Amino acid sequence: MEVHCTEEFKTEFEKICKNKKYPDCEKHFIDYFFGGGNYAKAATGQRIFGHISFPLFKKRIPDSGGYRYYFFPIKEKECILLGLVYPKTGNLGSDNIENETKRLLLDQAINSLKSKSYYHIRLDKNGNLTFITIEELKGEQELAVNKKVNKHNF
C-alpha cells in the first residue's frame, strides 16, 4: 500500500506535529497508516462525499477525541491520497467540515493528481516520516532500475 497526500495536507500535518499540544499526532499516523501496511484496513472510514469511483472518507484516529483524517482511497492502485487532517480538540481543534470544504478537498485532490503535484509519504530507515514529491519518487525508482540493469551487465 502507498500513502500519498496533497500539499495542503502536508502543510497542516506538519503544523499539528510541531505543536507541543499534539505530541502523539505522528505516532497515531504511523501506527494507523504504516502499522499494518494493509490497504483494506487503511481504506476504511465513513464515506462522506464524492463519486463512488473517487469517494472522500473521514477516519477518526485513534478515536472520537483524536484526529480527523480526510482521504481518498484509490482501490485500483491500492493507495490512499490524504487531503486534510485536524485535531478534534485543543487550539488547532475544529468541528466537522462543511460541504464547501468537502468540494474543495475533492478539487484539490483531482488537481494534485492531474498535475502530479502531490507527495509520497514513507518511513525512513529510522522509522521517521518523510514526504517526497512524486517526481522525486519517480527519479529514485528509475535510479534503482538502472542500478539493477548495470549490475547484470558484464
Side-chain angles (χ1 to χ4, degrees):
M1 176 186 81
E2 292 189 355
V3 181
H4 303 298
C5 72
T6 61
E7 175 70 39
E8 294 80 9
F9 175 89
K10 179 181 180 290
T11 301
E12 198 60 29
F13 183 76
E14 290 173 339
K15 181 173 124 183
I16 294 167
C17 289
K18 287 179 184 172
N19 189 314
K20 293 188 188 306
K21 294 193 186 265
Y22 307 104
D24 60 351
C25 180
E26 190 168 320
K27 179 194 177 315
H28 287 305
F29 181 87
I30 292 170
D31 288 349
Y32 185 78
F33 289 103
F34 293 96
N38 182 325
Y39 172 81
K41 176 189 165 253
T44 62
Q46 180 183 1
R47 183 178 181 269
I48 60 168
F49 194 77
H51 189 270
I52 194 160
S53 64
F54 197 60
L56 174 62
F57 276 68
K58 173 176 83 170
K59 183 72 178 178
R60 295 177 173 113
I61 300 172
D63 53 39
S64 62
Y67 303 91
R68 300 292 177 275
Y69 287 87
Y70 292 83
F71 63 89
F72 299 88
I74 304 171
K75 188 175 185 175
E76 53 279 352
K77 293 188 177 186
E78 287 200 4
C79 72
I80 303 285
L81 178 67
L82 294 149
L84 177 67
V85 60
Y86 63 84
K88 194 65 178 171
T89 61
N91 61 333
L92 298 178
S94 182
D95 289 328
N96 292 331
I97 61 175
E98 301 295 325
N99 283 338
E100 183 178 324
T101 304
K102 294 172 189 175
R103 278 190 285 281
L104 177 64
L105 288 173
L106 180 62
D107 290 344
Q108 288 171 343
I110 290 169
N111 290 337
S112 293
L113 291 170
K114 283 183 178 179
S115 65
K116 298 190 184 331
S117 60
Y118 56 99
Y119 291 85
H120 175 72
I121 308 172
R122 64 183 177 194
L123 294 176
D124 67 15
K125 62 184 176 184
N126 298 320
N128 298 313
L129 284 175
T130 58
F131 293 80
I132 63 168
T133 66
I134 290 304
E135 291 302 316
E136 290 171 321
L137 179 64
K138 185 178 174 184
E140 286 181 3
Q141 291 170 338
E142 289 172 0
L143 184 61
V145 167
N146 288 338
K147 282 183 179 180
K148 283 182 183 178
V149 169
N150 290 336
K151 181 180 176 183
H152 297 302
N153 287 342
F154 297 109

